[in-house]
Amino acid sequence: MTTLTLSKALNEGLRKALENDPKALIMGEDVGKLGGVFRVTDGLQKDFGEARVIDTPLAESGIIGTAIGLALRGYRPICEIQFDGFVFPAFDQIVTQLAKMRYRSLGTVRLPVTIRIPFGGGIGAVEHHSESPEALFAHTPGLRVVSCGDPADAYTMIQQAAACDDPVMFFEPKRRYWDKAEVDTDSGLAGALPMDSARVLVPGTDVTVLCYGPMVRTCAEAAVAASGDGKSLEVIDLRSLAPLDTETIFASVRKTGRCVVVHEAVVTGGIGAEIAAQVTQECFYSLEAPVLRVGAYTTPYPPSRLEDHYLPDLDRILDAVDRTFAY
Amino acid sequence: MTTLTLSKALNEGLRKALENDPKALIMGEDVGKLGGVFRVTDGLQKDFGEARVIDTPLAESGIIGTAIGLALRGYRPICEIQFDGFVFPAFDQIVTQLAKMRYRSLGTVRLPVTIRIPFGGGIGAVEHHSESPEALFAHTPGLRVVSCGDPADAYTMIQQAAACDDPVMFFEPKRRYWDKAEVDTDSGLAGALPMDSARVLVPGTDVTVLCYGPMVRTCAEAAVAASGDGKSLEVIDLRSLAPLDTETIFASVRKTGRCVVVHEAVVTGGIGAEIAAQVTQECFYSLEAPVLRVGAYTTPYPPSRLEDHYLPDLDRILDAVDRTFAY
Amino acid sequence: MAVKDAGRAARSANRASAREPERQADPAELIQLLTPEGERVEHPDYSLEISADEVKALYRDLVIVRRIDFEAIALQRQGELGIWASLLGQEAAQVGAGRALGARDMAFPTYREHGVAWCRGLDPMKLLELFRGVSHGGWDPTAHNFHLYTIVIGSQTLHATGYAMGIQRDGAVGEGGEAVIAFFGDGATSQGDVNEAFIWASVSNAPIVFFCQNNQWAISEPLERQSRTPLYMRAQGFGFPGVRVDGNDVLACLAVTRKALQAARDGQGPTLIEAFTYRMGAHTTTDDPTRYRLSAELEAWKLKDPIERVKQYLIRTEQAEMSFFDEVDAEAAAVGSRIRAGCQRMPDPTPDSMFDNVLTSETPQLAAERAEFAAYLDSFLAEEGAR
Amino acid sequence: MAVKDAGRAARSANRASAREPERQADPAELIQLLTPEGERVEHPDYSLEISADEVKALYRDLVIVRRIDFEAIALQRQGELGIWASLLGQEAAQVGAGRALGARDMAFPTYREHGVAWCRGLDPMKLLELFRGVSHGGWDPTAHNFHLYTIVIGSQTLHATGYAMGIQRDGAVGEGGEAVIAFFGDGATSQGDVNEAFIWASVSNAPIVFFCQNNQWAISEPLERQSRTPLYMRAQGFGFPGVRVDGNDVLACLAVTRKALQAARDGQGPTLIEAFTYRMGAHTTTDDPTRYRLSAELEAWKLKDPIERVKQYLIRTEQAEMSFFDEVDAEAAAVGSRIRAGCQRMPDPTPDSMFDNVLTSETPQLAAERAEFAAYLDSFLAEEGAR
Ligand SMILES: Cc1ncc(C[n+]2csc(CCOP(=O)(O)OP(=O)(O)O)c2C)c(N)n1
Ligand SMILES: Cc1ncc(C[n+]2csc(CCOP(=O)(O)OP(=O)(O)O)c2C)c(N)n1
Ligand SMILES: [Mg+2]
Ligand SMILES: [Mg+2]
């Protein structure tokens, strides 16, 4: 057990991935000497060489397009998109090529490509540096979409993603990069919780609160606050957004009868919509109240001086929890 | 009143748009002499010149990026994306620039850009020619997303889109291009139903069926079939997917207590998810059954020989209707 | 009125841009080894030692791929195929490039490289499956080192470049090295992806040949819509050589591609080859070229037919008997009837197969959808049974 | 072990690509009118008639924009700004280009063109608003014919090209015509959008100048990551002229940009200008250049400082008294303290304003969200009231 920040945990996980598989590569803008703008790849080029930790030209479509080609040659690229708002130039390669090539090839082609994306707001950044585009990828069959909420998961899940033979969109909670926690860097992946399983973070009985990435910590804090006024929240870290671990979700909602989904992304058309639709269909008779969603309003991401109003926080989560009891 | 195919109705609507506003432009691949692969722009370059009906180089990001520039200069570009599957190279320009520039400029900039996209399957096409990406845009604040279901709406809505000062994603039901119907080409836009209003196509009492684009006709046919076995479906053509005309939707569901959403797009994370979430929240006590969704399975679009199995059809809609009565 | 103004502005704008449309290849810059009349000519930089048998083999390829194309068009007319993208007129470019490839080289095609597919040994039935709507391609790219067809314009050029970067990482550059060839059209050169591929390839000095078949048209758009300079010149600006070859001259295409591939294998980096040719047919079977181009253009190009000149050469030089041509025609006819019969017999995939190969392991959600679908289908059988 | 192999393969791959990194501008190809030592030199193609007052005006611009930059960096350190992208070292490129523009020309900046903003008359406070997080820019592009900052690399080059196509359609090319200038960096040249802009501009012969500030770095990536040829050469391949100018020479930047703009206005189409300069500071205030570049490089460039050479020139030629320099410094200081004070006083936007300007008319859904938000905020005030 060592105490690591989330970003350092990712760094250690990536190091393991490079050590365990000579075909694993890292590629992206500024991932080499700089170690990435968040230092997630710090020191890796020094230790594994420029052939395995590749500083690319400045073009995201090129990064993903060439990563696909490297994967066709037998490599396992782990690509970094510098910020959430800059994944869009690569959208075509991800959606029309990366996601579909296995299907197109009737399974003869595997594309073990991981795409790391620091996502979400809360760091006072300028435009395009605080987006949450995960729902766009969850609506695209052929991709796995996951997000880690704490250093321990960051360490394991990035290794699981790298070891996965499918394309994985790996969303890293930017504002949690500096969160510290105990990480067991000795344990291998053997006993680890699968990447596509949700985890019951805080067991509870009254309301199921579903979250992922940056909102995991916030929801855990909400659970503590709620227990103060005698409400027992069951907080579940979804971890995987595509596929969703519906078994865990439904079991919890059937128990609590109430459900709140929390994410930073715009509520309209977000992951919460899909969850609300499925939960309502599968737990119809157990629901005491409709599934409520807490997230961003239906506007572009505002200037950072307003982001605290724009993003879900402890109060808005508790407010939603209260509202589920109003039904 | 004249009988027009949906594609000819669009053509007439575009002609009106070019006549009514000298700043209106059409641009895209093969929109000139060829008149577009579906002939929607047939004859327009001949009559309005190459400066107003612009044959562009083969690059979608370039089409939308330059359209934004033309709009900044005071023009009103109506862009054609040749097929749904080819909008993705332009995704970055649409999502990070077109959708956000008004917000970024605090309202000083208007971008009256319309993006026409023939969408959906059912025409036996090869890969990338049968996609339904509308949900990706509906999750993007700053865009209006609409779709027409019949020639009359095609004629009016394309003009409304062209006249709108906001960016409009205009989804045209590819497989309905050859559907014929009466269109009143004399009436102006004055009395017309606003582009962002839904329309109750078939009034009914037992189940609300929500649809748009290519599924409108299918759902209308389902209503007829259902009335056979004594079920009264209320079919609503949503027409606008962003914003949603929730007033019309909720009013109907409060009346019927049952709701089925139908679209060609993948169900997971589709428009139906957002509707299900909102309907459940707003009509919770009226709902006899959960909102059910009928759409494509969670796979890439299959080879065309299988598309009839992949796409919703009359039977699958009726099947869902029956299932809502099982609750 | 205002419309008129815009019109006028437009014309002036167009005038402004009216640089001489670069459509006819300046002979000086067009590499040719076999004239349209079938005369063998020498080129200082591209000597080609080639035996009579080798030329005859090329002729056979040309005739057979044209026949495959011919059959496919007929099959589409008969409703056996949903659509077909004809290679008519581009046989020499594709056979020349295809035969220049070594077994270990990797090819990344667009949707029109039927001739390259033939050279790589891919069964034409695989192509028919795609255009019939039975599969999205579905062949194993490693079986013949021939990647799947890519329909999104330009995307494959980046895949090819990445693959070439993999060759570098495998240390397979230099002595006995491997190379990659990426095919694309004149229209594709406008796509960001193709330009990014040029940049990646040059910056990493990847072992790749960019083979652009400039068939003068991108559906209805003439080359002027994409460029006001000859396309091969693009390469210079990115820092690697570009050459223009007579795309209807199979010998020149073979020689030029061979040299570029060898340079790539030797670690000298990328080359752009512009094969100057002509799309003699429609863009696809659903296209109507009469709407946008004059038949005179086609007539002019017919005189440069890629097959006829080889035949004339073989006859003139007495390297082939008349019987040889009859044999080739017969073989082509046999291939034609084989694929015609095969296509008509081709079964649809099972409905259930649409759930296969989304991910390496099926998600519970997809498994549920698959089951739901099966139950739904059964319900009909049940109904029918009931009747 | 296998790791080692890959490493070795890598090094060979790298060796293969080790063409001489093109970092020092070949003097032959670098247009210069004022040497680093402040000597006025002539260039055959770029004569510049310029009065003492005009040179002094340029000097004033250079000093003031450097001061604005200096203040902004300080404000960021004090926590008044979230981040700042410094133009240190690029003043001459930006002022030269900025002053070459006519009132009716349109400029499309990246996020670093503070010097151009100054020349266009945009209040520096507007820039501070963006970097403070008070707005995303929010100025009216038509007020000073200076478009909003664009952060997504390369996007604005297509907007600029489309705008130039609009000028053509307005018939505003030729006598008394208008032109557009698009700014971007060396790293941006790798983006598909920038290449597509080159293609659109050349094919439509649009009145646009592509002004690339090659400051040698894209965050931590040196130019070799983006290109193995001098960037100005890219233009040739697309069919329009490219030139490289000493980006630290304000006179050369002025002359070269003027000529290119005039050519554009006259209907001669696009020009690519590569301003060869150096990013003397960090990429932004959050960057740490010591991780990826040697201070020796910076020292070398300090000798080419864009401001010092103008000062030397004015002194040597006795076109300016010492008092002039003091006046300019004083004026710069005044600007500095004005923006410092203004920044510290700058209010946050009202929370409710985040719902403004999403669309031209507010949707019912957004109106509901706005109301919900207001009620939610009030609930806290109520609570506080209750206490
Ligand atoms: C990204 C994208 N946009 C549009 C299309 C539609 N489309 C198919 S082929 C084609 C023209 C391609 O021209 P070219 O690159 O010259 O190849 P050719 O068909 O002439 O062989 C177009 C526009 C596409 N397939 N992909
Ligand atoms: C599409 C996109 N990808 C990545 C980034 C992150 N980023 C911001 S600036 C920068 C480097 C830009 O370098 P260059 O074009 O040379 O301009 P400079 O910063 O040197 O002025 C990068 C990678 C971005 N803003 N946009
Ligand atoms: Mg072509
Ligand atoms: Mg730079």
Side-chain angles (χ1 to χ4, degrees):
Chain A
M1 283 290 183
T2 48
T3 310
L4 297 177
T5 61
L6 193 145
S7 108
K8 183 62 176 167
L10 288 166
N11 178 265
E12 292 294 335
L14 288 169
R15 177 175 293 277
K16 274 266 187 326
L18 290 171
E19 282 167 0
N20 297 341
D21 189 339
K23 291 294 190 181
L25 304 174
I26 286 177
M27 52 197 292
E29 298 154 4
D30 307 292
V31 296
K33 284 207 183 99
L34 185 61
V37 293
F38 292 107
R39 308 295 184 260
V40 172
T41 57
D42 190 19
L44 298 178
Q45 188 179 64
K46 197 172 128 298
D47 298 344
F48 296 92
E50 295 188 6
R52 295 192 63 197
V53 180
I54 309 170
D55 278 311
T56 67
L58 204 178
E60 289 72 14
S61 190
I63 294 170
I64 305 306
T66 53
I68 290 171
L70 280 156
L72 290 169
R73 179 75 186 186
Y75 287 87
R76 309 182 65 91
I78 305 167
C79 306
E80 172 173 302
I81 297 293
Q82 201 163 73
F83 282 90
D84 35 55
F86 308 135
V87 70
F88 301 113
F91 205 77
D92 176 54
Q93 283 286 348
I94 296 171
V95 168
T96 72
Q97 303 305 313
L98 185 60
K100 289 171 182 271
M101 207 173 288
R102 179 174 182 78
Y103 195 71
R104 180 180 303 152
S105 72
L106 294 177
T108 59
V109 169
R110 287 174 328 162
L111 290 182
V113 176
T114 298
I115 302 179
R116 296 181 38 243
I117 306 180
F119 82 121
I123 66 165
V126 293
E127 199 181 0
H128 309 294
H129 293 69
S130 307
E131 309 279 318
S132 299
E134 61 275 13
L136 305 179
F137 301 101
H139 182 50
T140 306
L143 300 174
R144 292 181 180 273
V145 183
V146 303
S147 184
C148 54
D150 59 45
D153 268 353
Y155 177 72
T156 357
M157 289 175 74
I158 190 63
Q159 292 181 69
Q160 292 169 319
C164 177
D165 281 339
D166 297 315
V168 179
M169 303 298 298
F170 193 89
F171 285 92
E172 304 173 356
K174 199 184 294 148
R175 68 156 109 170
R176 305 302 183 202
Y177 273 139
W178 304 275
D179 283 13
K180 284 206 178 81
E182 290 284 284
V183 178
D184 176 2
T185 52
D186 308 323
S187 74
L189 296 183
L193 182 65
M195 183 174 70
D196 55 7
S197 300
R199 170 189 282 120
V200 178
L201 195 72
V202 182
T205 53
D206 300 341
V207 187
T208 300
V209 177
L210 304 173
C211 55
Y212 56 90
M215 285 294 107
V216 170
R217 191 178 106 188
T218 314
C219 291
E221 290 164 1
V224 176
S227 66
D229 13 324
K231 291 204 193 70
S232 159
L233 311 192
E234 175 149 292
V235 179
I236 296 179
D237 178 355
L238 294 169
R239 300 170 83 251
S240 176
L241 309 178
L244 284 165
D245 178 359
T246 49
E247 200 181 317
T248 306
I249 296 169
F250 297 158
S252 175
V253 176
R254 291 201 180 98
K255 178 179 69 178
T256 62
R258 292 185 164 78
C259 181
V260 172
V261 191
V262 183
H263 53 58
E264 282 194 13
V266 169
V267 166
T268 308
I271 296 288
E274 179 59 30
I275 292 174
Q278 286 197 42
V279 164
T280 309
Q281 183 171 341
E282 298 304 318
C283 313
F284 191 64
Y285 296 114
S286 325
L287 279 179
E288 305 286 341
V291 176
L292 296 186
R293 298 175 290 164
V294 182
Y297 299 105
T298 313
T299 78
Y301 201 91
S304 60
R305 291 269 166 162
L306 295 178
E307 69 184 340
D308 292 347
H309 292 290
Y310 182 73
L311 295 170
D313 60 7
L314 194 137
D315 287 321
R316 275 176 59 200
I317 294 164
L318 294 176
D319 177 65
V321 166
D322 292 345
R323 282 187 284 120
T324 57
F325 282 96
Y327 283 81
Chain B
M1 284 291 180
T2 46
T3 310
L4 298 177
T5 61
L6 193 145
S7 113
K8 182 63 176 167
L10 288 166
N11 178 266
E12 291 295 335
L14 288 168
R15 177 175 294 277
K16 274 265 187 328
L18 290 170
E19 281 167 2
N20 296 340
D21 189 338
K23 291 293 189 181
L25 304 174
I26 286 177
M27 52 197 292
E29 298 154 4
D30 308 294
V31 296
K33 285 210 183 96
L34 184 61
V37 293
F38 292 108
R39 308 295 184 262
V40 172
T41 57
D42 190 20
L44 298 178
Q45 188 179 65
K46 196 171 128 295
D47 299 345
F48 295 93
E50 295 188 6
R52 296 192 64 198
V53 180
I54 308 170
D55 277 310
T56 67
L58 203 178
E60 289 71 16
S61 191
I63 293 171
I64 305 307
T66 54
I68 290 171
L70 280 156
L72 290 169
R73 179 73 186 188
Y75 286 87
R76 307 180 66 89
I78 305 168
C79 306
E80 171 172 303
I81 297 293
Q82 200 162 76
F83 283 90
D84 34 56
F86 308 136
V87 70
F88 301 113
F91 205 77
D92 177 54
Q93 283 286 349
I94 295 172
V95 168
T96 73
Q97 303 304 314
L98 186 60
K100 288 171 183 268
M101 207 172 289
R102 179 174 183 78
Y103 195 72
R104 181 181 302 153
S105 72
L106 293 177
T108 59
V109 169
R110 286 175 331 163
L111 291 181
V113 176
T114 298
I115 303 179
R116 295 180 38 243
I117 305 180
F119 84 121
I123 65 163
V126 293
E127 199 181 0
H128 310 292
H129 292 69
S130 308
E131 309 279 318
S132 299
E134 62 274 13
L136 305 178
F137 301 100
H139 183 51
T140 305
L143 300 173
R144 292 181 181 272
V145 183
V146 303
S147 184
C148 53
D150 60 44
D153 267 355
Y155 176 72
T156 356
M157 290 175 74
I158 190 63
Q159 290 181 68
Q160 292 170 320
C164 177
D165 281 339
D166 297 314
V168 179
M169 303 298 298
F170 192 89
F171 285 93
E172 303 173 355
K174 199 184 294 148
R175 70 156 109 170
R176 304 300 182 204
Y177 272 138
W178 303 275
D179 284 11
K180 283 207 179 78
E182 290 284 284
V183 179
D184 176 1
T185 51
D186 309 325
S187 73
L189 296 182
L193 183 66
M195 184 174 68
D196 55 8
S197 298
R199 168 187 283 122
V200 178
L201 195 72
V202 182
T205 53
D206 301 339
V207 188
T208 300
V209 177
L210 304 173
C211 55
Y212 57 89
M215 285 293 106
V216 171
R217 190 178 107 187
T218 315
C219 290
E221 290 165 359
V224 176
S227 66
D229 23 320
K231 289 205 193 71
S232 160
L233 311 192
E234 176 149 293
V235 179
I236 295 179
D237 178 355
L238 294 169
R239 299 169 83 253
S240 177
L241 308 179
L244 284 165
D245 178 358
T246 49
E247 201 182 313
T248 306
I249 297 169
F250 297 158
S252 174
V253 176
R254 290 199 182 98
K255 180 178 70 178
T256 61
R258 293 186 163 79
C259 180
V260 173
V261 191
V262 184
H263 52 58
E264 283 195 12
V266 168
V267 165
T268 308
I271 297 287
E274 179 59 30
I275 292 175
Q278 286 197 43
V279 164
T280 310
Q281 183 170 343
E282 298 303 319
C283 313
F284 190 64
Y285 295 115
S286 325
L287 279 180
E288 306 286 340
V291 177
L292 296 186
R293 298 175 289 165
V294 183
Y297 299 106
T298 312
T299 78
Y301 201 90
S304 59
R305 292 270 165 161
L306 294 179
E307 68 184 343
D308 292 347
H309 292 290
Y310 182 73
L311 296 170
D313 60 8
L314 194 136
D315 289 321
R316 275 176 60 200
I317 294 165
L318 294 176
D319 177 65
V321 167
D322 293 344
R323 282 186 284 120
T324 59
F325 283 96
Y327 284 81
Chain C
M1 172 52 203
V3 178
K4 276 230 195 58
D5 293 349
R8 203 172 304 114
R11 281 185 298 282
S12 73
N14 293 346
R15 226 192 344 278
S17 69
R19 306 251 178 143
E20 246 331 290
E22 209 298 316
R23 300 295 298 288
Q24 284 318 313
D26 160 2
E29 64 191 9
L30 189 72
I31 297 158
Q32 196 177 66
L33 297 180
L34 190 64
T35 68
E37 297 69 33
E39 254 168 65
R40 185 79 165 76
V41 290
E42 290 304 321
H43 190 287
D45 313 333
Y46 298 94
S47 60
L48 181 69
E49 293 303 320
I50 189 164
S51 72
D53 284 348
E54 289 170 310
V55 177
K56 286 159 88 176
L58 292 172
Y59 178 80
R60 173 178 169 275
D61 289 332
L62 293 169
V63 171
I64 291 176
V65 299
R66 178 169 288 188
R67 182 53 178 256
I68 292 169
D69 193 69
F70 176 86
E71 285 299 338
I73 292 170
L75 285 164
Q76 195 278 339
R77 298 254 177 282
Q78 298 153 23
E80 294 291 336
L81 297 181
I83 191 172
W84 179 256
S86 169
L87 60 43
L88 190 68
Q90 302 177 222
E91 296 88 352
Q94 295 191 16
V95 169
R99 288 305 176 192
L101 289 163
R104 289 164 60 234
D105 298 324
M106 184 72 192
F108 286 81
T110 69
Y111 41 80
R112 203 185 289 283
E113 273 65 71
H114 320 315
V116 181
W118 169 260
C119 296
R120 299 306 279 167
L122 183 78
D123 182 347
M125 295 313 297
K126 282 290 168 192
L127 306 179
L128 297 189
E129 280 181 20
L130 188 159
F131 289 99
R132 184 179 171 94
V134 165
S135 82
H136 289 319
W139 61 83
D140 177 354
T142 62
H144 303 279
N145 274 11
F146 184 71
H147 189 62
L148 295 156
Y149 273 10
T150 297
I151 290 173
V152 178
I153 300 293
S155 305
Q156 76 283 0
T157 58
L158 280 168
H159 307 158
T161 304
Y163 190 97
M165 290 166 65
I167 290 177
Q168 291 177 298
R169 279 156 183 74
D170 291 344
V173 181
E175 190 55 34
E178 301 171 31
V180 177
I181 189 165
F183 291 92
F184 54 100
D186 45 294
T189 58
S190 293
Q191 281 287 2
D193 275 9
V194 173
N195 291 275
E196 291 184 16
F198 290 165
I199 289 163
W200 249 261
S202 73
V203 165
S204 55
N205 204 50
I208 183 169
V209 174
F210 292 105
F211 195 94
C212 176
Q213 287 170 79
N214 173 4
N215 62 8
Q216 312 303 326
W217 294 92
I219 305 187
S220 73
E221 306 292 4
L223 185 62
E224 305 92 275
R225 285 277 116 236
Q226 319 295 343
S227 183
R228 70 183 193 190
T229 51
L231 291 172
Y232 74 91
M233 289 186 175
R234 288 274 171 92
Q236 302 167 8
F238 292 100
F240 57 93
V243 295
R244 173 180 275 185
V245 60
D246 180 344
N248 288 18
D249 173 352
V250 68
L251 298 187
C253 290
L254 176 69
V256 169
T257 310
R258 257 190 198 158
K259 189 171 181 182
L261 284 167
Q262 195 51 48
R265 295 187 200 104
D266 293 348
Q268 292 168 47
T271 302
L272 169 62
I273 297 173
E274 176 190 3
F276 200 82
T277 180
Y278 190 72
R279 195 196 76 210
M280 294 178 86
H283 170 69
T284 65
T285 45
T286 60
D287 179 39
D288 172 12
T290 65
R291 293 179 67 97
Y292 54 81
R293 69 184 191 187
L294 302 170
S295 53
E297 193 180 71
L298 176 58
E299 294 313 316
W301 278 91
K302 277 187 181 162
L303 303 175
K304 306 181 195 162
D305 187 89
I307 300 184
E308 191 53 28
R309 69 176 74 180
V310 182
K311 185 171 189 176
Q312 290 312 320
Y313 170 67
L314 287 172
I315 294 172
R316 165 180 294 112
T317 56
E318 292 174 350
Q319 296 185 55
E321 311 280 311
M322 272 311 154
S323 59
F324 163 74
F325 299 108
D326 300 338
E327 282 155 30
V328 171
D329 288 343
E331 186 182 1
V335 173
S337 39
R338 178 172 76 76
I339 66 174
R340 182 160 65 259
C343 184
Q344 286 153 346
R345 265 193 266 91
M346 197 183 288
D348 284 352
T350 62
D352 180 72
S353 68
M354 74 182 163
F355 295 97
D356 300 342
N357 303 309
V358 178
L359 295 167
T360 50
S361 63
E362 187 159 87
T363 66
Q365 181 187 358
L366 193 57
E369 291 181 16
R370 187 195 286 269
E372 188 188 292
F373 174 74
Y376 173 72
L377 280 193
D378 293 344
S379 68
F380 289 97
L381 303 179
E383 269 177 37
E384 275 150 30
R387 288 206 200 87
Chain D
M1 173 50 205
V3 179
K4 277 228 195 61
D5 295 347
R8 205 172 305 117
R11 280 186 298 282
S12 72
N14 293 345
R15 226 192 346 277
S17 69
R19 304 247 176 147
E20 246 329 291
E22 209 298 318
R23 298 295 298 290
Q24 285 316 316
D26 160 3
E29 64 192 10
L30 188 72
I31 297 159
Q32 195 179 67
L33 296 180
L34 190 63
T35 68
E37 297 70 32
E39 254 170 67
R40 185 78 166 77
V41 290
E42 291 305 321
H43 189 286
D45 312 333
Y46 297 93
S47 60
L48 181 70
E49 293 302 318
I50 187 163
S51 72
D53 284 349
E54 290 171 308
V55 177
K56 286 157 90 176
L58 293 172
Y59 178 81
R60 173 178 168 275
D61 289 332
L62 294 168
V63 171
I64 290 176
V65 300
R66 179 170 288 188
R67 181 52 178 257
I68 292 170
D69 192 70
F70 175 87
E71 285 298 338
I73 293 169
L75 284 163
Q76 194 278 339
R77 299 253 178 283
Q78 298 153 24
E80 294 290 337
L81 298 180
I83 190 173
W84 179 256
S86 169
L87 60 46
L88 190 68
Q90 303 176 222
E91 296 88 351
Q94 296 191 15
V95 169
R99 289 304 177 190
L101 288 164
R104 291 165 58 233
D105 297 324
M106 184 71 193
F108 287 81
T110 70
Y111 41 80
R112 202 186 289 282
E113 273 66 69
H114 320 315
V116 181
W118 168 260
C119 296
R120 298 307 278 167
L122 183 78
D123 182 346
M125 295 312 298
K126 283 289 168 194
L127 306 178
L128 298 190
E129 280 181 19
L130 188 160
F131 290 99
R132 185 180 171 91
V134 165
S135 82
H136 289 319
W139 60 83
D140 177 354
T142 63
H144 303 279
N145 273 13
F146 184 72
H147 188 62
L148 296 155
Y149 273 10
T150 297
I151 290 174
V152 179
I153 299 294
S155 306
Q156 75 284 358
T157 58
L158 280 169
H159 308 157
T161 303
Y163 190 98
M165 290 166 66
I167 290 177
Q168 292 176 297
R169 278 155 184 74
D170 291 345
V173 182
E175 190 57 35
E178 301 171 33
V180 176
I181 188 165
F183 292 91
F184 55 101
D186 45 295
T189 58
S190 294
Q191 281 287 1
D193 275 10
V194 173
N195 292 276
E196 291 184 16
F198 290 165
I199 289 164
W200 249 261
S202 73
V203 165
S204 55
N205 204 49
I208 183 169
V209 173
F210 292 105
F211 195 94
C212 176
Q213 286 170 79
N214 173 2
N215 63 7
Q216 311 305 326
W217 293 92
I219 305 186
S220 73
E221 305 292 5
L223 185 60
E224 305 92 275
R225 285 277 117 238
Q226 318 295 341
S227 184
R228 69 185 193 189
T229 50
L231 292 171
Y232 74 93
M233 289 187 175
R234 288 273 171 93
Q236 302 167 9
F238 292 101
F240 57 93
V243 296
R244 173 180 275 185
V245 60
D246 180 345
N248 287 18
D249 173 351
V250 69
L251 299 186
C253 290
L254 176 68
V256 169
T257 311
R258 260 191 197 157
K259 189 171 180 181
L261 284 167
Q262 195 50 50
R265 295 190 200 101
D266 294 347
Q268 293 168 46
T271 303
L272 169 62
I273 297 174
E274 177 190 3
F276 200 82
T277 180
Y278 190 72
R279 194 196 77 209
M280 295 178 85
H283 170 70
T284 66
T285 44
T286 60
D287 177 42
D288 172 11
T290 63
R291 294 179 66 98
Y292 55 80
R293 69 185 191 186
L294 301 169
S295 54
E297 192 180 73
L298 175 58
E299 294 313 315
W301 278 92
K302 278 187 181 161
L303 304 175
K304 305 181 194 164
D305 186 89
I307 301 186
E308 192 52 30
R309 69 175 73 180
V310 181
K311 186 172 189 176
Q312 291 312 321
Y313 170 67
L314 286 170
I315 293 172
R316 165 182 294 112
T317 57
E318 291 173 352
Q319 295 186 59
E321 311 281 310
M322 274 310 156
S323 59
F324 163 74
F325 300 106
D326 301 338
E327 283 156 31
V328 171
D329 290 343
E331 186 183 359
V335 173
S337 39
R338 176 171 78 75
I339 66 173
R340 184 163 60 260
C343 185
Q344 285 152 347
R345 265 192 265 93
M346 196 182 289
D348 284 352
T350 62
D352 180 71
S353 68
M354 74 182 164
F355 295 97
D356 299 342
N357 303 310
V358 178
L359 296 167
T360 51
S361 63
E362 187 161 86
T363 66
Q365 180 186 1
L366 193 57
E369 291 181 16
R370 187 195 286 269
E372 186 189 293
F373 175 73
Y376 174 71
L377 281 192
D378 292 347
S379 68
F380 289 99
L381 302 178
E383 270 177 35
E384 274 153 28
R387 288 207 199 88

